[in-house]
PDB file of all heavy atoms in Angstrom:
ATOM      1  N   TYR V 421      15.717  -3.400  -5.051  1.00  0.00           N
ATOM      2  CA  TYR V 421      14.640  -3.766  -5.964  1.00  0.00           C
ATOM      3  C   TYR V 421      14.618  -5.290  -6.170  1.00  0.00           C
ATOM      4  O   TYR V 421      15.632  -5.949  -5.939  1.00  0.00           O
ATOM      5  CB  TYR V 421      14.837  -3.054  -7.312  1.00  0.00           C
ATOM      6  CG  TYR V 421      15.203  -1.590  -7.159  1.00  0.00           C
ATOM      7  CD1 TYR V 421      16.469  -1.111  -7.492  1.00  0.00           C
ATOM      8  CD2 TYR V 421      14.284  -0.693  -6.623  1.00  0.00           C
ATOM      9  CE1 TYR V 421      16.822   0.227  -7.314  1.00  0.00           C
ATOM     10  CE2 TYR V 421      14.620   0.645  -6.436  1.00  0.00           C
ATOM     11  CZ  TYR V 421      15.895   1.094  -6.781  1.00  0.00           C
ATOM     12  OH  TYR V 421      16.230   2.410  -6.589  1.00  0.00           O
ATOM     13  N   LEU V 425      19.833 -11.287  -7.925  1.00  0.00           N
ATOM     14  CA  LEU V 425      21.156 -11.080  -7.329  1.00  0.00           C
ATOM     15  C   LEU V 425      22.286 -11.656  -8.190  1.00  0.00           C
ATOM     16  O   LEU V 425      23.256 -12.186  -7.660  1.00  0.00           O
ATOM     17  CB  LEU V 425      21.233 -11.660  -5.908  1.00  0.00           C
ATOM     18  CG  LEU V 425      20.210 -11.108  -4.923  1.00  0.00           C
ATOM     19  CD1 LEU V 425      20.416 -11.709  -3.534  1.00  0.00           C
ATOM     20  CD2 LEU V 425      20.315  -9.603  -4.842  1.00  0.00           C
ATOM     21  N   TYR V 529      22.199 -10.449 -27.691  1.00  0.00           N
ATOM     22  CA  TYR V 529      21.981  -9.162 -27.021  1.00  0.00           C
ATOM     23  C   TYR V 529      23.255  -8.717 -26.315  1.00  0.00           C
ATOM     24  O   TYR V 529      24.078  -9.531 -25.907  1.00  0.00           O
ATOM     25  CB  TYR V 529      20.784  -9.220 -26.050  1.00  0.00           C
ATOM     26  CG  TYR V 529      20.969 -10.110 -24.839  1.00  0.00           C
ATOM     27  CD1 TYR V 529      21.566  -9.627 -23.666  1.00  0.00           C
ATOM     28  CD2 TYR V 529      20.542 -11.440 -24.863  1.00  0.00           C
ATOM     29  CE1 TYR V 529      21.729 -10.447 -22.553  1.00  0.00           C
ATOM     30  CE2 TYR V 529      20.707 -12.267 -23.746  1.00  0.00           C
ATOM     31  CZ  TYR V 529      21.311 -11.756 -22.602  1.00  0.00           C
ATOM     32  OH  TYR V 529      21.482 -12.558 -21.502  1.00  0.00           O
ATOM     33  N   GLU V 536      23.151 -11.679 -17.272  1.00  0.00           N
ATOM     34  CA  GLU V 536      21.818 -11.451 -16.677  1.00  0.00           C
ATOM     35  C   GLU V 536      21.477  -9.967 -16.652  1.00  0.00           C
ATOM     36  O   GLU V 536      20.461  -9.581 -16.068  1.00  0.00           O
ATOM     37  CB  GLU V 536      21.788 -11.988 -15.235  1.00  0.00           C
ATOM     38  CG  GLU V 536      21.978 -13.492 -15.109  1.00  0.00           C
ATOM     39  CD  GLU V 536      23.450 -13.903 -15.037  1.00  0.00           C
ATOM     40  OE1 GLU V 536      24.327 -13.052 -15.276  1.00  0.00           O
ATOM     41  OE2 GLU V 536      23.718 -15.087 -14.752  1.00  0.00           O
ATOM     42  N   PRO V 545      12.050   5.505 -27.295  1.00  0.00           N
ATOM     43  CA  PRO V 545      11.319   6.475 -26.451  1.00  0.00           C
ATOM     44  C   PRO V 545      10.662   5.843 -25.224  1.00  0.00           C
ATOM     45  O   PRO V 545      10.579   6.483 -24.181  1.00  0.00           O
ATOM     46  CB  PRO V 545      10.243   7.052 -27.390  1.00  0.00           C
ATOM     47  CG  PRO V 545      10.295   6.249 -28.636  1.00  0.00           C
ATOM     48  CD  PRO V 545      11.578   5.474 -28.673  1.00  0.00           C
ATOM     49  N   ASP V 577      26.397   4.122 -29.974  1.00  0.00           N
ATOM     50  CA  ASP V 577      26.370   4.199 -31.436  1.00  0.00           C
ATOM     51  C   ASP V 577      26.953   2.884 -31.944  1.00  0.00           C
ATOM     52  O   ASP V 577      28.167   2.693 -31.940  1.00  0.00           O
ATOM     53  CB  ASP V 577      27.197   5.388 -31.926  1.00  0.00           C
ATOM     54  CG  ASP V 577      27.271   5.406 -33.447  1.00  0.00           C
ATOM     55  OD1 ASP V 577      26.608   4.551 -34.097  1.00  0.00           O
ATOM     56  OD2 ASP V 577      27.994   6.246 -34.002  1.00  0.00           O
ATOM     57  N   ALA V 630      30.269   8.055 -13.042  1.00  0.00           N
ATOM     58  CA  ALA V 630      30.726   8.183 -14.428  1.00  0.00           C
ATOM     59  C   ALA V 630      32.233   7.949 -14.477  1.00  0.00           C
ATOM     60  O   ALA V 630      33.008   8.785 -14.008  1.00  0.00           O
ATOM     61  CB  ALA V 630      30.389   9.572 -14.958  1.00  0.00           C
ATOM     62  N   HIS V 635      38.476  15.471 -17.427  1.00  0.00           N
ATOM     63  CA  HIS V 635      38.021  16.649 -18.185  1.00  0.00           C
ATOM     64  C   HIS V 635      36.623  16.447 -18.762  1.00  0.00           C
ATOM     65  O   HIS V 635      36.001  17.393 -19.214  1.00  0.00           O
ATOM     66  CB  HIS V 635      39.025  17.027 -19.279  1.00  0.00           C
ATOM     67  CG  HIS V 635      39.047  16.071 -20.447  1.00  0.00           C
ATOM     68  ND1 HIS V 635      39.749  14.888 -20.424  1.00  0.00           N
ATOM     69  CD2 HIS V 635      38.437  16.112 -21.653  1.00  0.00           C
ATOM     70  CE1 HIS V 635      39.584  14.252 -21.578  1.00  0.00           C
ATOM     71  NE2 HIS V 635      38.780  14.966 -22.341  1.00  0.00           N
ATOM     72  N   ALA V 641      28.300  16.510 -14.045  1.00  0.00           N
ATOM     73  CA  ALA V 641      28.086  17.184 -12.761  1.00  0.00           C
ATOM     74  C   ALA V 641      27.404  18.534 -12.920  1.00  0.00           C
ATOM     75  O   ALA V 641      27.038  19.164 -11.939  1.00  0.00           O
ATOM     76  CB  ALA V 641      29.432  17.378 -12.074  1.00  0.00           C
ATOM     77  N   LEU V 700      48.662  -2.328   2.886  1.00  0.00           N
ATOM     78  CA  LEU V 700      49.500  -3.073   1.942  1.00  0.00           C
ATOM     79  C   LEU V 700      50.522  -2.143   1.303  1.00  0.00           C
ATOM     80  O   LEU V 700      50.263  -0.936   1.166  1.00  0.00           O
ATOM     81  CB  LEU V 700      48.606  -3.690   0.853  1.00  0.00           C
ATOM     82  CG  LEU V 700      47.630  -4.747   1.379  1.00  0.00           C
ATOM     83  CD1 LEU V 700      46.578  -5.084   0.319  1.00  0.00           C
ATOM     84  CD2 LEU V 700      48.398  -6.005   1.781  1.00  0.00           C
ATOM     85  N   THR V 715      47.060 -12.932   2.272  1.00  0.00           N
ATOM     86  CA  THR V 715      48.151 -13.130   3.241  1.00  0.00           C
ATOM     87  C   THR V 715      49.521 -12.744   2.675  1.00  0.00           C
ATOM     88  O   THR V 715      50.472 -12.577   3.432  1.00  0.00           O
ATOM     89  CB  THR V 715      48.226 -14.610   3.661  1.00  0.00           C
ATOM     90  OG1 THR V 715      48.228 -15.405   2.479  1.00  0.00           O
ATOM     91  CG2 THR V 715      47.056 -14.985   4.556  1.00  0.00           C
ATOM     92  N   ALA V 756      39.402 -10.860   3.260  1.00  0.00           N
ATOM     93  CA  ALA V 756      40.164 -11.242   2.063  1.00  0.00           C
ATOM     94  C   ALA V 756      40.211 -12.746   1.839  1.00  0.00           C
ATOM     95  O   ALA V 756      40.681 -13.204   0.813  1.00  0.00           O
ATOM     96  CB  ALA V 756      41.586 -10.690   2.176  1.00  0.00           C
ATOM     97  N   SER V 790      29.090 -10.387  20.253  1.00  0.00           N
ATOM     98  CA  SER V 790      28.760 -11.815  20.376  1.00  0.00           C
ATOM     99  C   SER V 790      27.332 -11.999  19.857  1.00  0.00           C
ATOM    100  O   SER V 790      26.718 -11.042  19.403  1.00  0.00           O
ATOM    101  CB  SER V 790      28.844 -12.243  21.838  1.00  0.00           C
ATOM    102  OG  SER V 790      27.978 -11.429  22.603  1.00  0.00           O
ATOM    103  N   LEU V 794      26.761 -11.747  14.995  1.00  0.00           N
ATOM    104  CA  LEU V 794      27.274 -10.514  15.621  1.00  0.00           C
ATOM    105  C   LEU V 794      26.257  -9.374  15.528  1.00  0.00           C
ATOM    106  O   LEU V 794      26.601  -8.228  15.221  1.00  0.00           O
ATOM    107  CB  LEU V 794      28.606 -10.106  14.979  1.00  0.00           C
ATOM    108  CG  LEU V 794      29.720 -11.155  15.022  1.00  0.00           C
ATOM    109  CD1 LEU V 794      30.954 -10.701  14.262  1.00  0.00           C
ATOM    110  CD2 LEU V 794      30.100 -11.497  16.469  1.00  0.00           C
ATOM    111  N   PRO V 804      29.762 -15.106   5.013  1.00  0.00           N
ATOM    112  CA  PRO V 804      30.176 -15.398   6.394  1.00  0.00           C
ATOM    113  C   PRO V 804      31.069 -14.307   6.987  1.00  0.00           C
ATOM    114  O   PRO V 804      31.952 -13.785   6.314  1.00  0.00           O
ATOM    115  CB  PRO V 804      30.938 -16.715   6.250  1.00  0.00           C
ATOM    116  CG  PRO V 804      31.344 -16.792   4.823  1.00  0.00           C
ATOM    117  CD  PRO V 804      30.351 -16.010   4.018  1.00  0.00           C
ATOM    118  N   ALA V 813      32.966  -4.553  16.365  1.00  0.00           N
ATOM    119  CA  ALA V 813      31.512  -4.382  16.503  1.00  0.00           C
ATOM    120  C   ALA V 813      31.150  -2.985  17.013  1.00  0.00           C
ATOM    121  O   ALA V 813      31.872  -2.384  17.817  1.00  0.00           O
ATOM    122  CB  ALA V 813      30.975  -5.432  17.465  1.00  0.00           C
ATOM    123  N   GLU V 890      39.936  14.354  24.992  1.00  0.00           N
ATOM    124  CA  GLU V 890      40.162  15.780  25.263  1.00  0.00           C
ATOM    125  C   GLU V 890      41.538  15.980  25.905  1.00  0.00           C
ATOM    126  O   GLU V 890      42.287  16.874  25.521  1.00  0.00           O
ATOM    127  CB  GLU V 890      39.087  16.331  26.210  1.00  0.00           C
ATOM    128  CG  GLU V 890      37.674  16.316  25.644  1.00  0.00           C
ATOM    129  CD  GLU V 890      37.478  17.240  24.449  1.00  0.00           C
ATOM    130  OE1 GLU V 890      38.334  18.110  24.212  1.00  0.00           O
ATOM    131  OE2 GLU V 890      36.480  17.050  23.735  1.00  0.00           O
TER     132      GLU V 890
END
Side-chain angles (χ1 to χ4, degrees):
Y421 315 111
L425 302 182
Y529 67 87
E536 296 87 350
D577 175 5
H635 72 278
L700 295 167
T715 50
S790 57
L794 303 175
E890 296 295 345

